[in-house]
Short mmCIF file of all heavy atoms in Angstrom, two decimals:
data_model
loop_
_atom_site.label_atom_id
_atom_site.label_comp_id
_atom_site.label_asym_id
_atom_site.label_seq_id
_atom_site.Cartn_x
_atom_site.Cartn_y
_atom_site.Cartn_z
N PRO A 1 75.62 -72.74 -64.64
CA PRO A 1 74.79 -72.39 -65.92
C PRO A 1 74.74 -73.44 -66.95
O PRO A 1 73.91 -73.44 -67.78
CB PRO A 1 75.53 -71.07 -66.41
CG PRO A 1 76.93 -71.11 -65.88
CD PRO A 1 76.76 -71.88 -64.53
N ARG A 2 75.73 -74.44 -66.85
CA ARG A 2 75.70 -75.48 -67.86
C ARG A 2 74.53 -76.46 -67.63
O ARG A 2 74.23 -77.19 -68.57
CB ARG A 2 76.94 -76.21 -67.78
CG ARG A 2 78.27 -75.43 -68.14
CD ARG A 2 79.54 -76.12 -67.74
NE ARG A 2 79.54 -76.47 -66.35
CZ ARG A 2 80.55 -77.06 -65.78
NH1 ARG A 2 81.56 -77.47 -66.54
NH2 ARG A 2 80.53 -77.37 -64.49
N LEU A 3 73.91 -76.35 -66.55
CA LEU A 3 72.63 -77.13 -66.40
C LEU A 3 71.59 -76.85 -67.35
O LEU A 3 70.78 -77.74 -67.71
CB LEU A 3 72.09 -76.88 -64.96
CG LEU A 3 72.87 -77.40 -63.74
CD1 LEU A 3 72.25 -76.91 -62.47
CD2 LEU A 3 72.94 -78.91 -63.72
N LEU A 4 71.58 -75.61 -67.89
CA LEU A 4 70.58 -75.22 -68.90
C LEU A 4 70.61 -76.15 -70.09
O LEU A 4 69.55 -76.37 -70.70
CB LEU A 4 70.88 -73.81 -69.35
CG LEU A 4 69.89 -73.11 -70.36
CD1 LEU A 4 68.53 -73.09 -69.79
CD2 LEU A 4 70.42 -71.82 -70.84
N PHE A 5 71.70 -76.68 -70.43
CA PHE A 5 71.91 -77.50 -71.64
C PHE A 5 71.76 -79.01 -71.35
O PHE A 5 72.06 -79.87 -72.26
CB PHE A 5 73.22 -77.18 -72.30
CG PHE A 5 73.44 -75.72 -72.63
CD1 PHE A 5 74.28 -74.96 -71.83
CD2 PHE A 5 72.73 -75.17 -73.63
CE1 PHE A 5 74.40 -73.61 -72.12
CE2 PHE A 5 72.85 -73.78 -73.88
CZ PHE A 5 73.77 -73.00 -73.11
N GLN A 6 71.52 -79.39 -70.16
CA GLN A 6 71.36 -80.76 -69.79
C GLN A 6 69.91 -81.20 -69.94
O GLN A 6 68.94 -80.51 -69.46
CB GLN A 6 71.89 -81.04 -68.34
CG GLN A 6 73.34 -80.82 -68.19
CD GLN A 6 73.92 -81.23 -66.79
OE1 GLN A 6 73.18 -81.76 -66.01
NE2 GLN A 6 75.12 -80.83 -66.54
N VAL A 7 69.72 -82.30 -70.57
CA VAL A 7 68.41 -82.83 -70.89
C VAL A 7 67.56 -82.99 -69.57
O VAL A 7 66.33 -82.84 -69.59
CB VAL A 7 68.52 -84.12 -71.68
CG1 VAL A 7 69.17 -85.22 -71.02
CG2 VAL A 7 67.10 -84.56 -72.15
N GLY A 8 68.24 -83.50 -68.52
CA GLY A 8 67.40 -83.71 -67.16
C GLY A 8 66.88 -82.40 -66.70
O GLY A 8 65.78 -82.38 -66.24
N PHE A 9 67.55 -81.39 -66.72
CA PHE A 9 67.19 -80.03 -66.34
C PHE A 9 66.03 -79.54 -67.15
O PHE A 9 64.92 -79.09 -66.60
CB PHE A 9 68.35 -79.00 -66.40
CG PHE A 9 67.91 -77.62 -65.98
CD1 PHE A 9 68.10 -77.15 -64.68
CD2 PHE A 9 67.45 -76.73 -66.90
CE1 PHE A 9 67.79 -75.92 -64.27
CE2 PHE A 9 67.14 -75.42 -66.53
CZ PHE A 9 67.27 -74.97 -65.16
N GLN A 10 66.09 -79.74 -68.49
CA GLN A 10 65.05 -79.24 -69.38
C GLN A 10 63.74 -80.11 -69.20
O GLN A 10 62.64 -79.56 -69.11
CB GLN A 10 65.51 -79.47 -70.81
CG GLN A 10 66.74 -78.44 -71.13
CD GLN A 10 67.33 -78.84 -72.48
OE1 GLN A 10 66.79 -79.55 -73.27
NE2 GLN A 10 68.44 -78.23 -72.73
N LEU A 11 63.86 -81.49 -69.00
CA LEU A 11 62.73 -82.31 -68.81
C LEU A 11 62.06 -82.02 -67.51
O LEU A 11 60.81 -81.96 -67.43
CB LEU A 11 63.19 -83.83 -68.80
CG LEU A 11 63.50 -84.32 -70.22
CD1 LEU A 11 64.11 -85.72 -70.05
CD2 LEU A 11 62.36 -84.39 -71.14
N SER A 12 62.86 -81.81 -66.42
CA SER A 12 62.30 -81.62 -65.08
C SER A 12 61.40 -80.28 -65.17
O SER A 12 60.25 -80.33 -64.66
CB SER A 12 63.40 -81.39 -64.05
OG SER A 12 64.07 -82.64 -63.88
N TYR A 13 61.99 -79.17 -65.63
CA TYR A 13 61.26 -77.89 -65.50
C TYR A 13 60.07 -77.88 -66.55
O TYR A 13 59.04 -77.29 -66.20
CB TYR A 13 62.20 -76.76 -65.70
CG TYR A 13 62.82 -76.43 -64.43
CD1 TYR A 13 64.07 -76.91 -64.08
CD2 TYR A 13 62.23 -75.50 -63.49
CE1 TYR A 13 64.68 -76.70 -62.87
CE2 TYR A 13 62.84 -75.11 -62.31
CZ TYR A 13 64.10 -75.70 -62.05
OH TYR A 13 64.59 -75.49 -60.74
N MET A 14 60.29 -78.44 -67.69
CA MET A 14 59.16 -78.51 -68.61
C MET A 14 57.99 -79.35 -68.05
O MET A 14 56.87 -78.96 -68.28
CB MET A 14 59.60 -79.02 -69.95
CG MET A 14 60.65 -78.18 -70.73
SD MET A 14 60.06 -76.46 -70.89
CE MET A 14 58.53 -76.66 -71.82
N ALA A 15 58.30 -80.48 -67.38
CA ALA A 15 57.24 -81.30 -66.83
C ALA A 15 56.47 -80.64 -65.72
O ALA A 15 55.16 -80.57 -65.71
CB ALA A 15 57.80 -82.64 -66.44
N VAL A 16 57.26 -80.02 -64.80
CA VAL A 16 56.55 -79.38 -63.61
C VAL A 16 55.78 -78.12 -64.04
O VAL A 16 54.66 -77.91 -63.69
CB VAL A 16 57.60 -79.05 -62.53
CG1 VAL A 16 56.90 -78.29 -61.42
CG2 VAL A 16 58.24 -80.28 -62.02
N PHE A 17 56.49 -77.35 -64.96
CA PHE A 17 55.77 -76.12 -65.45
C PHE A 17 54.53 -76.44 -66.19
O PHE A 17 53.41 -75.82 -66.04
CB PHE A 17 56.77 -75.31 -66.33
CG PHE A 17 56.10 -74.06 -66.90
CD1 PHE A 17 55.99 -72.94 -66.08
CD2 PHE A 17 55.78 -74.01 -68.15
CE1 PHE A 17 55.45 -71.79 -66.53
CE2 PHE A 17 55.22 -72.78 -68.74
CZ PHE A 17 54.97 -71.66 -67.89
N SER A 18 54.55 -77.47 -67.04
CA SER A 18 53.35 -77.86 -67.78
C SER A 18 52.29 -78.41 -66.88
O SER A 18 51.06 -78.07 -67.16
CB SER A 18 53.74 -79.01 -68.78
OG SER A 18 54.70 -78.47 -69.72
N ILE A 19 52.62 -79.21 -65.89
CA ILE A 19 51.61 -79.64 -64.94
C ILE A 19 50.92 -78.49 -64.24
O ILE A 19 49.70 -78.39 -64.13
CB ILE A 19 52.27 -80.58 -63.92
CG1 ILE A 19 52.65 -81.89 -64.57
CG2 ILE A 19 51.26 -80.85 -62.69
CD1 ILE A 19 53.47 -82.88 -63.65
N VAL A 20 51.73 -77.59 -63.76
CA VAL A 20 51.12 -76.38 -63.03
C VAL A 20 50.26 -75.55 -63.94
O VAL A 20 49.20 -75.04 -63.57
CB VAL A 20 52.28 -75.50 -62.43
CG1 VAL A 20 51.72 -74.29 -61.79
CG2 VAL A 20 52.99 -76.41 -61.37
N LEU A 21 50.69 -75.37 -65.22
CA LEU A 21 50.00 -74.49 -66.09
C LEU A 21 48.80 -75.17 -66.86
O LEU A 21 47.74 -74.55 -67.00
CB LEU A 21 51.03 -73.94 -67.20
CG LEU A 21 50.45 -72.97 -68.17
CD1 LEU A 21 49.96 -71.69 -67.57
CD2 LEU A 21 51.49 -72.67 -69.24
N ILE A 22 49.09 -76.37 -67.37
CA ILE A 22 48.08 -77.02 -68.29
C ILE A 22 47.07 -77.94 -67.51
O ILE A 22 45.94 -77.91 -67.95
CB ILE A 22 48.88 -77.82 -69.30
CG1 ILE A 22 49.82 -76.97 -70.24
CG2 ILE A 22 47.83 -78.50 -70.27
CD1 ILE A 22 50.61 -77.67 -71.20
N GLN A 23 47.56 -78.48 -66.47
CA GLN A 23 46.69 -79.47 -65.80
C GLN A 23 45.32 -78.87 -65.38
O GLN A 23 44.28 -79.47 -65.44
CB GLN A 23 47.37 -80.21 -64.68
CG GLN A 23 46.70 -81.45 -64.21
CD GLN A 23 45.76 -81.20 -62.99
OE1 GLN A 23 45.88 -80.16 -62.41
NE2 GLN A 23 44.94 -82.18 -62.58
N PRO A 24 45.34 -77.64 -64.73
CA PRO A 24 44.07 -77.03 -64.25
C PRO A 24 43.14 -76.84 -65.46
O PRO A 24 41.91 -76.90 -65.30
CB PRO A 24 44.53 -75.69 -63.71
CG PRO A 24 45.96 -76.01 -63.26
CD PRO A 24 46.55 -76.82 -64.25
N VAL A 25 43.66 -76.47 -66.73
CA VAL A 25 42.80 -76.35 -67.82
C VAL A 25 42.22 -77.67 -68.22
O VAL A 25 40.97 -77.75 -68.49
CB VAL A 25 43.65 -75.65 -68.97
CG1 VAL A 25 42.69 -75.64 -70.26
CG2 VAL A 25 44.11 -74.39 -68.64
N LEU A 26 42.96 -78.75 -68.26
CA LEU A 26 42.52 -80.03 -68.67
C LEU A 26 41.48 -80.64 -67.70
O LEU A 26 40.48 -81.15 -68.07
CB LEU A 26 43.62 -81.01 -68.84
CG LEU A 26 44.70 -80.67 -69.97
CD1 LEU A 26 45.77 -81.60 -69.96
CD2 LEU A 26 43.99 -80.65 -71.36
N VAL A 27 41.74 -80.48 -66.40
CA VAL A 27 40.89 -81.10 -65.37
C VAL A 27 39.56 -80.44 -65.28
O VAL A 27 38.57 -81.01 -65.01
CB VAL A 27 41.60 -81.05 -63.99
CG1 VAL A 27 41.49 -79.67 -63.32
CG2 VAL A 27 41.05 -82.14 -63.15
N GLY A 28 39.51 -79.14 -65.80
CA GLY A 28 38.19 -78.48 -65.75
C GLY A 28 37.41 -78.69 -66.97
O GLY A 28 36.22 -78.35 -66.99
N LEU A 29 37.95 -79.47 -67.95
CA LEU A 29 37.15 -79.75 -69.10
C LEU A 29 36.05 -80.79 -68.76
O LEU A 29 34.97 -80.88 -69.47
CB LEU A 29 37.99 -80.34 -70.21
CG LEU A 29 39.07 -79.36 -70.87
CD1 LEU A 29 39.98 -80.05 -71.82
CD2 LEU A 29 38.25 -78.24 -71.55
N TRP A 30 36.19 -81.57 -67.71
CA TRP A 30 35.29 -82.53 -67.39
C TRP A 30 35.28 -82.68 -65.80
O TRP A 30 36.31 -82.94 -65.28
CB TRP A 30 35.59 -83.86 -68.07
CG TRP A 30 34.45 -84.82 -67.95
CD1 TRP A 30 34.14 -85.72 -67.01
CD2 TRP A 30 33.46 -85.03 -69.02
NE1 TRP A 30 32.95 -86.34 -67.23
CE2 TRP A 30 32.48 -85.95 -68.52
CE3 TRP A 30 33.10 -84.34 -70.22
CZ2 TRP A 30 31.42 -86.39 -69.21
CZ3 TRP A 30 32.03 -84.82 -70.90
CH2 TRP A 30 31.15 -85.76 -70.44
N THR A 31 34.13 -82.61 -65.17
CA THR A 31 34.07 -82.71 -63.77
C THR A 31 33.30 -83.94 -63.39
O THR A 31 32.26 -84.25 -64.02
CB THR A 31 33.50 -81.49 -63.10
OG1 THR A 31 32.24 -81.20 -63.69
CG2 THR A 31 34.48 -80.27 -63.23
#
């Protein structure tokens, strides 16, 4: 559970989650 407070864990999941969630919205703004 201490992984929760490690910067690498936070960066990894925030990056992947943001790509999965936000990238489809951005890519559809312009085709």
Side-chain angles (χ1 to χ4, degrees):
R2 295 169 301 179
L3 290 172
L4 180 65
F5 305 105
Q6 293 184 11
V7 61
F9 180 90
Q10 297 168 14
L11 287 172
S12 296
Y13 276 90
M14 292 308 302
V16 176
F17 180 75
S18 298
I19 290 171
V20 173
L21 180 65
I22 300 175
Q23 195 266 347
V25 176
L26 296 177
V27 79
L29 292 175
W30 196 273
T31 55

